[in-house]
Amino acid sequence: MTKTFPSNFIFGGASAAYQVEGATNEDGKGRVLWDDYLEKQGRFNPNPAADFYHQYEKDLTLAERYGVQAIRVSIAWSRIFPDGDGEIEPRGVAYYHRMFKACLAHHVEPFVTLHHFDTPEKLHEEGDWLSPHMVNAFVEYAKFCFKEFPEITHWITINEPTSMAVQQYTSGTFPPGEHGRFDKTFQAEHNQNVAHARIVNAYKQMHLDGEIGVVHALQTVYPYSDSVADKHAADLQDALENRLYLDGTLAGSYSAEVLALIQEILDANNQPMFKYTDAEMTEISDAAHQLDFVGVNNYFSKWLRAYSGVSETHHNGTGAKGTSVSRLHGVGEEKLPEGITTTDWDWPIYPRGMHDILMRIHDDYPLVPAIYVTENGIGLKEELPAGANSSTVIEDPKRIDYLRLYLSAIADAINDGANVKGYFIWSLQDQFSWTNGYSKRYGLFFVDFATQDRYVKRSAHWFKEVSETHQISD
Ligand code: BGP
């Protein structure tokens, strides 16, 4: 069956500064939370990544050629303010002007994220999102960017606040690597809601000619069975990962239900409730009423069942299928129902979850004017075929299958009334992955990280056709 997207629907590709730029020691860039953490871990290095700092022209040329109409890029905060605030580094500012100009010259519209997991090191050491100084410095940096880069008309405040907070303080896969600290997780979530709100409100006060939104990682959570206990576990997981953000950024207030679920998780773990003030809630409400769009990053869904044991997690960061574990005391255990396939990194492939999360925003958060799918794609183990040359096309049928299923689910959601205005594949080109290094490739374009040559994948040809026709056949 053929499904058609609206004629103004945008097909884009996504990236993040730390995952593509490389050049982390160049032109006065300040250190970020990952530098020390990755050095100590010794598994992989953020250099060269895709060397986008020097190679952006290559990637933008390919993007234009293969129907990619927009690109998600992030500004590395520490290229502009090496310490997070204070001195400005003009070479960093100049780089972003050059790169944005190249995007526009290639007719690839930049959607620019202000914070994509890369807190400057000094602010991280002060407590990252738990520190009020971090929130203030972030707002000042954002205002600087709004004035400095009038060529940008689509801004994103924070990428995936949930991934940041949960992985920093609950599952321990992001620096500082703490486990089971739900109190810190919720406080960091709330503080990010406040930072986001202040920036949206400042942007609107500046009367600039553009749009501003936020990007959430939204893994749809389902109960493992129909039992009351499993349904409740799903609600708890949803409160932990999704709902505090959805309520805060899209409704402008925390529902009594989400606060009760959070209190329950904290009580079970003997940890104190997060702090929030009336003044902050007013800022949060003002921002929700002025937000232009929400970005949805959805790759997979989760199934939860009741669990009362101690917290235990294992992150599959190598592609060793079947090794992931997530059992959280006071929340629940992730357990995959029979019949759902997964990637080598244990991410369940479930396009229905994409449809359901888009419809949830449409149904439960009526203030939201527009939705973009700002990340979706599949990580695969891919290799350059022997003897490859510049005309080699790398076959990636699994990616095409995955994209077709998820785009089909998005088309269904549009048909059911969700105002989805665009889709950004993760990722435009192969990139560095925070917890997987270089072995998990997502790109439309294969990057030989040693030579920085690019090779086109079959999925890029498929994507071009979809972008040009605005149609898919499933
Ligand atoms: C999202 C992040 C991206 C990217 C992607 C893939 O959560 O916003 O930065 O990393 O997930 O994740 P991974 O690299 O872990 O496979």
Side-chain angles (χ1 to χ4, degrees), residues 134-200:
M134 164 85 174
V135 175
N136 292 339
F138 183 52
V139 176
E140 292 312 310
Y141 147 69
K143 287 202 262 190
F144 171 86
C145 291
F146 296 152
K147 282 193 209 122
E148 181 64 37
F149 303 110
E151 63 269 42
I152 298 308
T153 53
H154 290 87
W155 289 101
I156 291 160
T157 55
I158 303 178
N159 177 72
E160 297 192 356
T162 193
S163 303
M164 190 76 187
V166 170
Q167 296 192 84
Q168 286 191 301
Y169 304 116
T170 297
S171 61
T173 42
F174 277 18
E178 295 187 33
H179 292 264
R181 288 301 303 268
F182 297 97
D183 52 345
K184 288 188 178 182
T185 305
F186 290 123
Q187 192 65 59
E189 292 190 1
H190 169 70
N191 293 359
Q192 289 182 85
N193 280 345
V194 173
H196 155 81
R198 281 196 191 143
I199 290 172
V200 170

Side-chain angles (χ1 to χ4, degrees), residues 98-119:
R98 278 198 308 278
M99 189 263 282
F100 295 152
K101 194 172 167 196
C103 291
L104 296 170
H106 283 286
H107 310 104
V108 179
E109 180 69 34
F111 280 54
V112 179
T113 310
L114 289 161
H115 185 282
H116 195 128
F117 301 162
D118 57 350
T119 304

Side-chain angles (χ1 to χ4, degrees), residues 244-319:
L244 194 70
Y245 288 117
L246 291 174
D247 280 7
T249 58
L250 309 189
S253 63
Y254 300 141
S255 53
E257 200 182 339
V258 77
L259 290 173
L261 290 163
I262 287 170
Q263 185 76 60
E264 186 181 333
I265 296 171
L266 291 166
D267 287 350
N269 288 280
N270 293 316
Q271 293 171 5
M273 187 62 169
F274 72 93
K275 295 189 173 48
Y276 57 100
T277 66
D278 288 347
E280 288 169 345
M281 295 315 295
T282 303
E283 293 177 282
I284 283 177
S285 170
D286 289 348
H289 285 82
Q290 305 189 81
L291 193 73
D292 295 306
F293 64 90
V294 62
V296 171
N297 294 354
N298 176 273
Y299 295 83
F300 60 89
S301 299
K302 291 187 176 182
W303 285 262
L304 262 287
R305 69 176 181 185
Y307 177 73
S308 56
V310 293
S311 293
E312 229 184 313
T313 55
H314 176 74
H315 173 66
N316 172 357
T318 57

